[in-house]
Amino acid sequence: MACFETGTVVSLAAREAITLPDVKGATLRVTQGTLWLTQERDPQDVVLRTGDNWVVESDGKTVVEAQDAVTFCIVGRKAETLQLPARSTQSQRLWSVLARVLTPPRGHHAPYA
């Protein structure tokens, strides 16, 4: 699936997230992968898979997170002027810390092994 309309194409690695500010009316079109999203002040989350389209229903922050490697388009009037925020590496740092904590030191054997 391709994005033919004027818009922004976004690629995210697994578990990478970004926040889209005030994009009410823009259409998110997933071309690869699975995307989880939530809108500010909306208790319902949305999961989009390859081929799915979804229109952002309200202004405010829309947080999108890749469940796996994902590519999606943001199309519509709001997409033309959208400035994507800098990607947060907070989740990457969290996974790195967890990996260090959960990985036993080399040469160390569990007492039950």
Side-chain angles (χ1 to χ4, degrees), residues 72-90:
F72 68 100
C73 304
I74 307 167
V75 296
R77 188 174 48 87
K78 293 282 188 169
E80 295 172 12
T81 58
L82 179 64
Q83 296 293 317
L84 290 177
R87 291 184 176 178
S88 170
T89 59
Q90 183 176 7

Side-chain angles (χ1 to χ4, degrees), residues 23-41:
V23 291
K24 178 181 179 180
T27 299
L28 304 183
R29 179 171 295 145
V30 179
T31 58
Q32 173 188 333
T34 303
L35 188 68
W36 166 87
L37 66 91
T38 188
Q39 296 181 104
E40 188 173 359
R41 296 179 300 279

Side-chain angles (χ1 to χ4, degrees), residues 56-110:
V56 178
E57 298 170 342
S58 62
D59 273 331
K61 296 177 182 174
T62 300
V63 178
V64 296
E65 180 183 273
Q67 300 302 292
D68 50 17
V70 70
T71 302
F72 68 100
C73 304
I74 307 167
V75 296
R77 188 174 48 87
K78 293 282 188 169
E80 295 172 12
T81 58
L82 179 64
Q83 296 293 317
L84 290 177
R87 291 184 176 178
S88 170
T89 59
Q90 183 176 7
S91 62
Q92 293 170 337
R93 284 179 281 192
L94 175 61
W95 286 113
S96 176
V97 168
L98 284 174
R100 283 193 304 250
V101 169
L102 298 175
T103 304
R106 289 183 184 205
H108 184 324
H109 298 284

